[in-house]
């Protein structure tokens, strides 16, 4: 099922969010894809986030975590080993690639692998120059003041 959204009303009051429609569209396309490995995303503070992936069967050397400008990519691949004959294989160890889109100024602080879980901590750090600041408004000079200055 394909759903389209009309972003025209959004463009009336926003500037610089042109990529938003592309982001929503790509997310809708991925919704029907495989959800392996399972993961959680949690907010652990006002500007702190944590992604936890269940990667049973993988080791530290089988997983790579790459942080790019606004994306976090996690890939897992088991090295080819001797062929085993499984009577039943319930633990999936197939290769995977999971991409998370990150907002501006969200940075990966650490990645920890423990007990079959990959835990990635993220922190949004907005630079001082980008934080809101109050702008002083100067009053218009009255004509009487301008005349006194000229005299």
């Amino acid at each position: 099922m394909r759903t389209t959204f009309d972003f025209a009303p959004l463009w009336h009051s926003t500037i610089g969010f042109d990529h938003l429609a592309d982001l929503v569209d790509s997310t809708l396309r991925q919704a029907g894809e495989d959800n392996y490995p399972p993961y959680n995303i949690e907010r652990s503070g006002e500007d702190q986030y944590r992604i936890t992936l269940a990667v049973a069967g993988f080791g530290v050397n089988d997983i790579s975590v790459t942080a790019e400008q606004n994306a976090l990519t996690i890939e897992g691949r088991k090295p080819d080993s001797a062929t085993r004959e499984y009577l039943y294989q319930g633990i999936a160890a197939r290769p995977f690639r999971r991409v998370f889109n990150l907002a501006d100024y969200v940075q990966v602080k650490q990645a920890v692998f423990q007990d079959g879980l990959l835990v990635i901590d993220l922190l949004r750090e907005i630079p001082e120059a980008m934080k809101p600041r109050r702008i002083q408004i100067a009053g218009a000079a009255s004509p009487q003041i301008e005349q006194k200055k000229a005299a």
Side-chain angles (χ1 to χ4, degrees), residues 58-115:
F58 286 87
V60 174
N61 296 327
D62 302 332
I63 299 172
S64 68
V65 178
T66 307
E68 297 176 57
Q69 184 173 351
N70 283 0
L72 173 65
T73 304
I74 303 164
E75 295 180 276
R77 180 172 302 279
K78 298 280 291 180
D80 293 332
S81 60
T83 317
R84 295 181 179 175
E85 183 181 343
Y86 289 100
L87 298 178
Y88 173 78
Q89 184 176 6
I91 300 173
R94 63 183 182 267
F96 68 88
R97 182 173 195 264
R98 174 79 56 198
V99 179
F100 297 94
N101 293 305
L102 303 177
D104 291 337
Y105 311 114
V106 173
Q107 299 176 1
V108 176
K109 285 303 173 186
Q110 70 175 357
V112 178
F113 185 85
Q114 183 178 357
D115 300 330

Side-chain angles (χ1 to χ4, degrees), residues 39-53 65-74 99-112 118-126:
Y39 64 91
N40 292 335
I41 301 175
E42 61 184 284
R43 187 178 196 157
S44 54
E46 186 174 329
D47 289 324
Q48 297 173 340
Y49 305 91
R50 175 172 280 174
I51 299 172
T52 305
L53 283 89
V65 178
T66 307
E68 297 176 57
Q69 184 173 351
N70 283 0
L72 173 65
T73 304
I74 303 164
V99 179
F100 297 94
N101 293 305
L102 303 177
D104 291 337
Y105 311 114
V106 173
Q107 299 176 1
V108 176
K109 285 303 173 186
Q110 70 175 357
V112 178
L118 176 64
V119 179
I120 301 169
D121 289 320
L122 307 162
L123 180 65
R124 181 174 45 183
E125 295 179 317
I126 301 174

